[in-house]
Amino acid sequence: MDEVLLSRDFFDRPVEEVAPDLLGRVLAHRTDEGEVAVRLTEVEAYAGPLDPASHAYRGMTPRTAVMFGPPGHAYVYFTYGMHFCVNLVCGPDGTASAVLLRAGRIVAGEDLARLRRPRSTVRDLARGPARLCQALAIAREQNGLDACSPGGRLRILAGDGPVDPSSVRTGPRVGVNGGKETPWRFWIDGDPTVSPYRPHVPRRRSAPTARA
């Protein structure tokens, strides 16, 4: 696999420009067990304080501090009490925009990815943001890593270059409430590793308990 890193300047652009340009690029993570790499087939853009769907919409917190830093770094968060998701920070310092990496196709380290996800089909090894992190062993420890650093364990590579723009589709983001109509989910049309679209479903409140 060619080790041509994407530059920091690649990420120092508006997030809605970076996101579709990440399709076809390769995210690689090396651990003591070995390396797994995935060719990205689905991503979502989030525009920080300007975007009601972004974790950074209400400003910086200890959780979102990485998003306010330099571009090209990984923002990893824990969700639903069980899963990790990885983003790549975009734009200049302080803008807090990031691209969520939603799905991809394993292009290196498939045997190791299968060990991490033993019940998965090949198609589903990294089909969805939580599965992608499981297959690549990305968790809290990778939060803040510089993916543009030569020799780093987590790296974002040019791969075969951007996909043909005619094959890129766009639509609303998955499972968000605020900004749910913004068409900032991008995917490669017809690729089987793209995850299914699911709209936001409000949580039901429990019925009040009668008091004596």
Side-chain angles (χ1 to χ4, degrees), residues 114-152:
R114 282 174 174 272
L115 287 174
R116 292 168 176 165
R117 291 187 41 76
R119 298 182 180 180
S120 178
T121 64
V122 173
R123 182 197 68 171
D124 290 341
L125 282 172
R127 188 177 185 233
R131 293 172 178 177
L132 185 151
C133 281
Q134 290 169 1
L136 272 70
I138 294 174
R140 202 181 315 276
E141 294 77 16
Q142 284 67 51
N143 187 45
L145 290 186
D146 183 357
C148 298
S149 176

Side-chain angles (χ1 to χ4, degrees), residues 77-88:
Y77 65 87
F78 194 54
T79 185
Y80 296 116
M82 63 180 74
H83 298 307
F84 289 98
C85 299
V86 62
N87 304 252
L88 293 173

Side-chain angles (χ1 to χ4, degrees), residues 23-183:
L23 295 174
R25 312 300 188 162
V26 174
L27 182 73
H29 185 219
R30 185 177 66 251
T31 68
D32 293 341
E33 300 173 299
E35 181 164 280
V36 176
V38 62
R39 178 179 182 265
L40 299 172
T41 59
E42 180 188 6
V43 298
E44 284 179 344
Y46 289 88
L50 303 175
D51 183 355
S54 171
H55 290 174
Y57 182 57
R58 301 188 185 281
M60 186 188 298
T61 66
R63 181 196 194 196
T64 63
V66 171
M67 295 179 71
F68 288 84
H73 288 245
Y75 166 52
V76 182
Y77 65 87
F78 194 54
T79 185
Y80 296 116
M82 63 180 74
H83 298 307
F84 289 98
C85 299
V86 62
N87 304 252
L88 293 173
V89 177
C90 300
D93 285 6
T95 58
S97 58
V99 178
L100 172 65
L101 309 183
R102 284 200 52 86
R105 175 172 56 86
I106 301 294
V107 293
E110 183 180 310
D111 289 344
L112 181 53
R114 282 174 174 272
L115 287 174
R116 292 168 176 165
R117 291 187 41 76
R119 298 182 180 180
S120 178
T121 64
V122 173
R123 182 197 68 171
D124 290 341
L125 282 172
R127 188 177 185 233
R131 293 172 178 177
L132 185 151
C133 281
Q134 290 169 1
L136 272 70
I138 294 174
R140 202 181 315 276
E141 294 77 16
Q142 284 67 51
N143 187 45
L145 290 186
D146 183 357
C148 298
S149 176
R153 284 182 171 260
L154 184 70
R155 306 177 314 288
I156 183 69
L157 309 174
D160 294 329
V163 300
D164 186 335
S166 67
S167 70
V168 176
R169 299 292 177 265
T170 182
R173 294 169 291 187
V174 176
V176 301
N177 187 16
K180 59 186 177 183
E181 301 303 325
T182 304

